[in-house]
Amino acid sequence: MTTLASAPEKFTKILTIITVVHYGVIFLVAGIISWIGTGLVRRWLISHQILDQPNNRSSHSAPVPRGGGLAVKLTIAIAAVTLMGSQLLHREFYYHSYRKRRSGRSIVLG
């Protein structure tokens, strides 16, 4: 049986792996939501005729929806808030585990 006080490297390695997986999941979910949201916003823009009409300076020849980046921007904002919240929780966990180690109480790792 290994205690936290005698194996800080193992504890740090486990937390690093959990953190990397956590961030990966957040980025994956954000990408999926952004992809789906862009399609939904695009359909809504087309149905409400919110289109950019081409002119002589345009790179497109047919009308295209304006505002498709709204879903991406909203997703990035939500992902940023989620990451900030997870950082606060992560710091809180480190703080409490450090205090437990310093006070003599140790967490048993399997």
Side-chain angles (χ1 to χ4, degrees):
M1 195 179 323
T2 307
T3 62
L4 181 61
S6 65
E9 297 88 21
K10 184 177 181 182
F11 180 70
T12 304
K13 187 175 183 179
I14 290 169
L15 282 179
T16 303
I17 292 169
I18 291 170
T19 303
V20 168
V21 170
H22 183 241
Y23 287 173
V25 169
I26 289 173
F27 284 117
L28 179 67
V29 170
I32 292 169
I33 291 172
S34 179
W35 181 61
I36 292 170
T38 300
L40 294 173
V41 169
R42 184 176 185 274
R43 271 192 256 156
W44 185 84
L45 292 169
I46 291 172
S47 69
H48 287 80
Q49 294 297 309
I50 303 173
L51 303 171
D52 183 25
Q53 301 299 329
N55 58 29
N56 59 352
R57 294 180 6 178
S58 298
S59 61
H60 54 278
S61 56
V64 294
R66 297 182 73 164
L70 293 173
V72 175
K73 291 176 186 173
L74 182 62
T75 303
I76 289 172
I78 292 170
V81 169
T82 304
L83 286 172
M84 286 188 289
S86 68
Q87 280 295 319
L88 293 174
L89 291 175
H90 197 73
R91 284 184 192 159
E92 192 69 22
F93 181 74
Y94 268 126
Y95 174 73
H96 285 300
S97 63
Y98 176 75
R99 284 191 61 197
K100 286 180 183 177
R101 279 188 282 164
R102 298 293 289 167
S103 65
R105 291 179 281 153
S106 60
I107 300 173
V108 176
L109 300 176

